């Protein structure tokens, strides 16, 4: 696996593009849990645990856009392949503050937190899987 890593606003989108990690959401959740301790300690604990879980996922998962598929890796291990030909729709929610990526395939629907560079994600989606 020899991915091209990019995070510039106008990336070169030919070949394989591996998205860089985006730690904003997991860190924001962990930081949000701190003042919540004084209001509701058990809710603060849940928010902090969820933030730490997302932090682990951000550090270990990788998304790669190939010419034909979106591939999900953990380290060098391919976990799942999503062929573009099976995609019906996609959307990044809240463009000013992207936090959720949705895409629908013929047989399933996926909601993913934005754990990868949102600008490169958007650019790759627009190029490789344009909306109808």
């Amino acid at each position: 696996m020899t991915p091209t890593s990019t995070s510039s606003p106008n990336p070169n989108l030919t070949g394989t593009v591996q998205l860089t990690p985006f730690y904003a959401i997991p860190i924001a959740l962990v930081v949000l849990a701190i003042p919540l301790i004084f209001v509701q300690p058990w809710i603060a604990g849940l928010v902090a645990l969820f933030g730490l879980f997302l932090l682990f996922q951000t550090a270990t998962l990788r998304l790669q856009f190939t010419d034909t598929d979106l591939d999900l890796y953990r380290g060098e291990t391919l976990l799942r392949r999503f062929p573009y030909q099976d995609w019906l729709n996609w959307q990044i929610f809240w463009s000013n503050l992207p936090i959720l990526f949705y895409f629908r395939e013929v047989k399933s629907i996926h909601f993913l937190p934005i754990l990868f560079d949102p600008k490169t994600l958007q650019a790759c989606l627009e190029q490789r899987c344009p909306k109808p």
Side-chain angles (χ1 to χ4, degrees), residues 9-89:
N10 297 316
N12 176 4
L13 298 177
T14 58
T16 299
V17 177
Q18 179 170 304
L19 300 183
T20 56
F22 184 69
Y23 292 94
I25 292 173
I27 291 172
L29 287 172
V30 172
V31 169
L32 175 67
I34 296 169
L36 279 176
I37 291 172
F38 302 108
V39 179
Q40 285 289 337
W42 67 274
I43 291 176
L46 290 175
V47 170
L49 282 174
F50 185 58
L52 291 171
F53 168 74
L54 289 180
L55 193 62
F56 174 76
Q57 297 291 56
T58 304
T60 60
L61 294 178
R62 295 293 167 258
L63 277 185
Q64 286 187 358
F65 283 88
T66 67
D67 292 331
T68 58
D69 310 301
L70 173 63
D71 295 339
L72 176 64
Y73 284 89
R74 182 175 311 277
E76 298 292 320
T77 305
L78 177 65
L79 298 177
R80 183 91 190 264
R81 177 163 279 151
F82 303 99
Y84 304 135
Q85 67 186 14
D86 294 344
W87 290 38
L88 299 174
N89 193 17

Side-chain angles (χ1 to χ4, degrees), residues 91-101 114 118 122:
Q91 184 166 350
I92 297 176
F93 288 102
W94 301 293
S95 59
N96 293 337
L97 179 65
I99 61 169
L100 192 62
F101 168 47
I114 300 289
Q122 175 98 30

